[in-house]
Amino acid sequence: MKKITFIFIIVSILGYTQGKENNNLDKSSVSTPLNQTTHTKKDHQIRKVKKAVIVPKLDGKMDDPIWKETLWYGLDQKWLGSSYEFNDFFGRYKIAWTPEALYLLVEIKDNILYDQHKDPLKLWWDDDCVEIFIDADNSGGNHQYTNNAFAYHVALDGNVVDLDQNQKPVLYNNHVSTKRVTNNDVSVWEFEIIVYDDSYKEGKVNDPLILNKDQKLGFAVAYNDNDGSAERENFIGSVFIPGEEKNLGWINADVFGTIILVE
């Protein structure tokens, strides 16, 4: 009887030890693939962007050769706010590239231009502004407090704001240059956008990307419209975002469209 009990105890200990080792192996086999998983964006709103032989002049006149050769695309997706009428807002854009930069032409019909915050780093999204979203490698994913992608808010006075890696607003006026010309209720904005990838570090020396044929970038553009309220009244973008929550561009680069640079 004692011999049988002793054998039972030995078998139980061996079984426990083996089970513990198998359990550890199971955990290891699960964690390794997760650590190796990389995020992949699903391309949508794929658009080819033509190269500009002559660099557009930032003058708000729309008469550069490249703008005569490219198509208008709409800013017609309501991301926030109530319905609006044509006399309140209408927007469209064109885009081109050179090896040194992206060039963006935006035409906005807005009956009231409103800039209530003179401090460019205070509630910048509640003033009228164009917002430009750039993901240099089209990788998608979270970029809220990283430089995986940028969400440049370009104010009426030309200041450019986004959040940095310390979750604080900073000026990126050396990334985006602009000229705006307004006649009556129509404003023409021209932008030159220097593209930086996710290696960008605030306060350091950073080399911009040299753009090339067949390169893919994540891209979207939007307009924050405020006609005199404490907060913006509408946020109107260029890309359809499914679901009820559409104010995602400043957080998730998956919602950006995809542009392909061609000659």
Side-chain angles (χ1 to χ4, degrees):
M1 185 68 174
K2 291 182 178 179
K3 185 176 180 179
I4 293 174
T5 302
F6 176 77
I7 293 173
F8 177 78
I9 293 172
I10 294 298
V11 171
S12 299
I13 292 173
L14 289 174
Y16 171 78
T17 303
Q18 186 176 7
K20 186 175 181 180
E21 290 174 352
N22 289 339
N23 190 42
N24 289 337
L25 287 173
D26 289 344
K27 290 180 179 178
S28 176
S29 67
V30 169
S31 61
T32 300
L34 286 176
N35 292 336
Q36 293 175 351
T37 299
T38 57
H39 180 83
T40 301
K41 174 190 171 185
K42 294 182 179 179
D43 290 343
H44 56 102
Q45 199 189 71
I46 302 169
R47 289 174 173 166
K48 294 181 179 180
V49 174
K50 191 172 182 178
K51 183 179 181 180
V53 177
I54 300 174
V55 177
K57 184 179 180 180
L58 300 187
D59 56 10
K61 293 183 179 179
M62 296 198 297
D63 57 359
D64 300 280
I66 190 61
W67 301 139
K68 298 177 183 179
E69 302 169 7
T70 48
L71 297 174
W72 285 107
Y73 296 112
L75 267 72
D76 53 8
Q77 299 297 314
K78 188 183 70 176
W79 289 352
L80 281 177
S82 57
S83 298
Y84 53 88
E85 301 295 332
F86 173 79
N87 63 349
D88 180 32
F89 174 83
F90 172 79
R92 59 181 184 168
Y93 73 95
K94 295 185 176 188
I95 186 169
W97 70 283
T98 69
E100 293 74 28
L102 293 174
Y103 290 87
L104 182 64
L105 176 71
V106 177
E107 185 182 48
I108 299 293
K109 176 181 171 64
D110 183 4
N111 58 342
I112 298 175
L113 296 180
Y114 189 56
D115 185 9
Q116 62 181 319
H117 301 292
K118 299 308 177 184
D119 181 349
L121 302 181
K122 180 180 179 182
L123 299 175
W124 57 95
W125 61 88
D126 284 328
D127 291 333
D128 284 352
C129 66
V130 173
E131 191 165 350
I132 304 167
F133 303 87
I134 302 290
D135 181 5
D137 62 0
N138 195 43
S139 60
N142 186 283
H143 73 94
Q144 185 174 9
Y145 302 123
T146 76
N147 292 328
N148 178 46
F150 292 89
Y152 299 118
H153 301 72
V154 186
L156 294 173
D157 62 5
N159 279 306
V160 183
V161 183
D162 192 15
L163 295 170
D164 69 4
Q165 293 174 304
N166 296 316
Q167 305 184 22
K168 295 181 179 179
V170 295
L171 291 177
Y172 289 98
N173 291 359
N174 59 330
H175 289 209
V176 181
S177 302
T178 186
K179 173 67 175 181
R180 174 176 59 88
V181 174
T182 299
N183 290 305
N184 298 318
D185 63 350
V186 176
S187 295
V188 175
W189 307 61
E190 282 188 286
F191 302 91
E192 179 186 67
I193 307 155
I194 308 300
V195 179
Y196 292 90
D197 62 17
D198 57 8
S199 66
Y200 184 88
K201 301 292 183 183
E202 283 80 9
K204 304 295 183 181
V205 176
N206 299 279
D207 293 325
L209 288 187
I210 301 300
L211 302 178
N212 296 288
K213 180 178 177 289
D214 298 326
Q215 184 173 346
K216 284 185 176 183
L217 297 91
F219 172 81
V221 59
Y223 189 75
N224 287 284
D225 186 19
N226 191 340
D227 290 341
S229 303
E231 299 177 347
R232 62 183 169 183
E233 297 165 9
N234 290 102
F235 188 26
I236 304 151
S238 62
V239 180
F240 170 74
I241 299 176
E244 294 185 5
E245 178 54 59
K246 300 183 185 297
N247 184 23
L248 298 174
W250 70 291
I251 299 174
N252 186 358
D254 284 343
V255 304
F256 299 2
T258 297
I259 58 174
I260 303 174
L261 308 184
V262 300
E263 293 184 343

